[in-house]
Amino acid sequence: MRVLLVEDEPTLRAQLRAGLADAGYAVDDVGNGGDAHHLGANEPFDAVVLDLGLPVLDGLSVLKRWREAGRTMPVLILTARDSWHEKVAGIDAGADDYLAKPFHMEELLARVRALIRRAQGLASPLLQCGAIALDTRSGRVTLDGQPVNLTSHEFRLLAYLMHRPGSVVSRTELTEHLYAQDFDRDSNTIEVFIGRLRRKLPPQTIETVRGMGYRLAAAP
Ligand code: CA
């Protein structure tokens, strides 16, 4: 999952970036509204964390422009403490959730997880596909109740597929959602990780749909 982080305060931005990266997200971070608008308008993100007070273009305007252009990714806005009018304006501008500063990293991560899950119509934080269970809160994967050891790349890949069970996901889509913009993207990498993941899961769990991509199927 790829997250766009927009925060102009350098210390907070670095903390949030580290927290999101530790939680397994590919993170693109920017510090002004102009860059934020450009990236969010042109790159696919699974969620956006958007501060409202930003240089160049304020967060509310960025959000309004995205929504007017038909960008539907879930957006969590960061508001000033006790500023109820900012929350109202943000939600009316198209925000999906808000968090008032200061906040705990754990709360931000919980809200981002929920936004990503709900964007795919998933109500529970525990994702299930046949005998495979993925707990989005703990980052643990089990197969028939037994823990499966995955590297962070394998986990990211499986989590993306498990958020879209039964859908065909192309290699390009995977590359775009699993790596940030500054990452040296090579779609062969995806193939390598699919291969590694397959060896740890029941056969036929990850189907190759010729010429289109991959699909996660519940094992028979
Ligand atoms: Ca700010």
Side-chain angles (χ1 to χ4, degrees):
M1 303 292 167
R2 188 172 167 201
V3 173
L4 173 60
L5 167 63
V6 189
E7 170 60 62
D8 58 320
E9 206 279 296
T11 309
L12 180 58
R13 178 170 156 193
Q15 283 169 356
L16 294 179
R17 186 191 163 92
L20 287 162
D22 282 349
Y25 297 106
V27 185
D28 292 77
D29 62 310
V30 292
N32 72 71
D35 291 345
H37 174 255
H38 177 76
L39 261 187
N42 293 290
E43 294 281 324
F45 289 98
D46 297 291
V48 179
V49 176
L50 178 67
D51 185 33
L52 290 187
L54 293 170
V56 184
L57 186 64
D58 67 276
L60 218 50
S61 302
V62 171
L63 181 55
K64 280 180 189 157
R65 289 187 192 185
W66 283 338
R67 295 313 192 211
E68 278 161 17
R71 304 295 282 172
T72 59
M73 66 284 196
V75 175
L76 170 69
I77 53 169
L78 305 180
T79 68
R81 191 158 66 130
D82 297 333
S83 176
W84 64 267
H85 55 274
E86 264 192 9
K87 296 169 191 163
V88 173
I91 290 167
D92 280 344
D96 299 274
D97 199 359
Y98 64 83
L99 199 50
K101 293 178 179 180
F103 51 81
H104 287 280
M105 192 66 207
E106 284 308 316
E107 184 174 2
L108 179 129
L109 292 174
R111 289 179 185 274
V112 168
R113 282 196 296 274
L115 287 179
I116 289 175
R117 177 176 96 212
R118 280 196 235 115
Q120 302 301 325
L122 301 167
S124 167
L126 186 67
L127 308 180
Q128 198 95 35
C129 176
I132 307 165
L134 184 149
D135 192 328
T136 58
R137 297 160 297 188
S138 62
R140 288 170 59 115
V141 176
T142 58
L143 178 62
D144 283 323
Q146 298 301 310
V148 181
N149 280 322
L150 299 179
T151 65
S152 61
H153 276 78
E154 292 163 358
F155 177 81
R156 277 189 198 188
L157 181 54
L158 181 64
Y160 192 83
L161 292 171
M162 285 196 68
H163 276 82
R164 291 157 185 77
S167 303
V168 179
V169 179
S170 72
R171 257 195 285 176
T172 308
E173 180 178 343
L174 286 170
T175 309
E176 283 177 344
H177 285 264
L178 299 184
Y179 303 109
Q181 205 182 33
D182 54 8
F183 194 87
D184 178 23
R185 295 169 175 182
D186 175 358
S187 62
N188 291 326
T189 317
I190 296 291
E191 241 175 326
V192 172
F193 287 117
I194 288 276
R196 289 186 190 163
L197 204 48
R198 275 183 171 144
R199 287 195 282 279
K200 296 183 179 181
L201 300 174
Q204 316 302 323
T205 301
I206 303 173
E207 297 174 338
T208 299
V209 182
R210 196 184 293 254
M212 293 181 70
Y214 305 99
R215 177 168 50 204
L216 191 69

